[in-house]
């Protein structure tokens, strides 16, 4: 009598899903091929920066609105401040935003994984959801971040003391990519 064994435990499908999960990752951040200016702004704020002139003796900062400087003097709109250097303090929003939300991100991943292993959600879609969710959390973190505060001239020019928000371009540039490892 001949017979056969029928695999009803879906081991091969599960191993394939595990392999896809292991060979894929999601990256969150501001990416150079999307907007190199935003990458520079993001990096300067994420890690801090010391900016000095390359060919001139000073950096020129245009003043858009009147303000009182640190010496108590009125600086008029339309003037230009000449400075030897600008120090941008570290305002980590990507790393700190992830760290502040890691429990929420892990909770979403844990809630989605059963759907992945049942075959209801493809690994690519799993990572897309995680990426979208995480990028959104980091965007919100960057909006809520208030320290260190902006310099007086920056507050005057932006008409706001929200360090990482001016036009919203930085927040819009925070995105994700699902890539092969």
């Amino acid at each position: 009598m001949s017979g056969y064994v029928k695999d009803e435990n879906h081991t091969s499908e599960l191993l394939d899903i595990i392999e896809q999960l292991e060979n894929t990752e999601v990256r969150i951040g501001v990416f150079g091929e999307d907007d190199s200016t935003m990458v520079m702004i993001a990096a300067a704020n994420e890690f801090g920066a010391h900016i000095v002139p390359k060919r001139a003796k000073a950096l020129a900062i245009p003043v858009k609105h009147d303000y009182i400087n640190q010496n108590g003097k009125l600086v008029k709109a339309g003037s230009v401040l000449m400075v030897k250097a600008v120090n941008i303090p570290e305002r980590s929003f990507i790393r700190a935003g992830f760290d502040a939300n890691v429990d929420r991100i892990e909770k979403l991943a844990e809630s989605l994984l059963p759907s992945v292993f049942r075959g209801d959600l493809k690994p690519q879609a799993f990572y897309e959801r995680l990426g979208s969710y995480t990028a959104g959390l980091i965007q919100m973190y960057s909006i809520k971040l208030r320290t260190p505060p902006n310099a007086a001239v920056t507050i005057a020019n932006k008409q706001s003391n929200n360090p990482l928000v001016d036009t919203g371009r930085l927040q819009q540039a925070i995105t994700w990519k699902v890539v092969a490892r």
Side-chain angles (χ1 to χ4, degrees):
M1 172 180 247
S2 67
Y4 68 93
V5 176
K6 184 176 180 183
D7 179 7
E8 293 186 12
N9 64 13
H10 305 282
T11 302
S12 64
E13 289 95 343
L14 288 172
L15 290 173
D16 184 51
I17 289 169
I18 291 169
E19 183 178 350
Q20 289 177 51
L21 288 169
E22 288 179 340
N23 293 323
T24 308
E25 65 185 23
V26 63
R27 296 178 183 168
I28 314 293
V30 178
F31 301 103
E33 59 271 12
D34 298 332
D35 188 340
S36 61
T37 300
M38 281 294 108
V39 170
M40 178 187 65
I41 291 169
N45 280 284
E46 181 72 19
F47 302 106
H50 179 74
I51 303 169
V52 295
K54 287 185 178 181
R55 293 183 213 120
K57 292 183 180 184
L59 297 169
I61 302 173
V63 178
K64 297 177 186 175
H65 303 277
D66 293 353
Y67 79 98
I68 305 296
N69 70 13
Q70 62 198 25
N71 299 324
K73 293 186 178 181
L74 175 66
V75 179
K76 298 292 268 172
S79 61
V80 176
L81 296 179
M82 302 303 287
V83 297
K84 292 186 186 277
V86 171
N87 287 306
I88 298 172
E90 179 178 318
R91 294 183 180 103
S92 175
F93 61 99
I94 296 173
R95 294 169 296 154
F98 178 85
D99 292 346
N101 289 290
V102 70
D103 291 342
R104 294 172 74 182
I105 297 162
E106 287 175 348
K107 187 175 180 179
L108 176 63
E110 290 169 1
S111 73
L112 292 175
L113 278 174
S115 295
V116 174
F117 287 116
R118 280 194 310 272
D120 299 333
L121 183 66
K122 300 281 184 207
Q124 175 80 19
F126 166 78
Y127 283 116
E128 291 286 347
R129 285 197 190 171
L130 275 181
S132 174
Y133 182 70
T134 304
L137 291 172
I138 292 171
Q139 290 167 346
M140 290 307 302
Y141 185 89
S142 75
I143 291 168
K144 293 177 182 177
L145 187 76
R146 293 290 189 258
T147 58
N150 282 319
V153 67
T154 306
I155 294 168
N157 282 342
K158 288 173 44 174
Q159 295 286 281
S160 163
N161 191 21
N162 191 325
L164 295 176
V165 178
D166 186 10
T167 65
R169 278 186 64 208
L170 178 60
Q171 286 68 38
Q172 292 168 358
I174 300 167
T175 189
W176 74 96
K177 291 182 186 183
V178 177
V179 297
R181 285 189 191 189

